[in-house]
Amino acid sequence: MPDDSSQIHAPAETILFVEDEALVRMDMAEFLRECGYRVHEAANAKEAIEALQSKFAVDLVFTDINLGEGMNGLELAGWTLSHRPGVKVVVTTGISQIELPPEVVEPLLAKPYTGRLLDRVKQALAKQAGDGS
């Protein structure tokens, strides 16, 4: 029987999932975990920034635009891109007409995103691996 211990498995990418609606956040975070990702959850931008300033690695921030009090998801995206270069950002919203700032390079993912979430996460992370950032 071959020895599988010689095979090196790349660690799963880490996603910071930022959503103020607890049930949506918990369900989608669990779904992403089942798909093999490490997922940290944040209910608002303040929690997200605390996580981004901590020592754990984050490959992708997935954030809703409407986050309740404080900074919104677009502001969080801008903060992330300026303070954590190389971290990809995917922004989502239920608002139909919204313009993204130019620094948010990923296209907006409209809600409801069930069925498209995994594809968008894979696309964003593939860009990170492929563009050398």
Side-chain angles (χ1 to χ4, degrees):
M1 194 160 29
D3 180 11
D4 289 336
S5 64
S6 64
Q7 293 180 350
I8 299 174
H9 297 283
E13 291 97 346
T14 301
I15 299 168
L16 178 58
F17 198 93
V18 188
E19 168 65 62
D20 63 334
E21 293 184 41
L23 292 177
V24 172
R25 183 179 66 250
M26 291 186 298
D27 285 348
M28 294 297 102
E30 184 58 29
F31 169 74
L32 290 169
R33 287 183 189 104
E34 289 171 1
C35 293
Y37 296 100
R38 285 188 303 261
V39 181
H40 297 284
E41 298 175 42
N44 54 49
K46 181 179 183 232
E47 287 180 14
I49 289 172
E50 288 171 2
L52 289 164
Q53 290 175 328
S54 72
K55 295 184 189 239
F56 68 80
V58 173
D59 300 295
L60 173 72
V61 173
F62 187 98
T63 183
D64 188 16
I65 289 178
N66 297 317
L67 295 176
E69 293 182 27
M71 191 183 284
N72 68 35
L74 292 176
E75 293 165 328
L76 174 60
W79 186 96
T80 301
L81 294 168
S82 66
H83 289 83
R84 291 289 303 267
V87 173
K88 297 298 181 189
V89 177
V90 174
V91 178
T92 186
T93 187
I95 301 170
S96 60
Q97 298 293 321
I98 193 157
E99 193 169 319
L100 292 177
E103 66 270 11
V104 179
V105 294
E106 294 298 324
L108 182 71
L109 179 60
K111 286 183 175 180
Y113 47 72
T114 305
R116 296 176 295 146
L117 173 63
L118 184 58
D119 287 340
R120 181 56 60 85
V121 166
K122 286 180 179 179
Q123 288 171 358
L125 290 170
K127 282 185 183 181
Q128 179 172 338
D131 68 10
S133 49

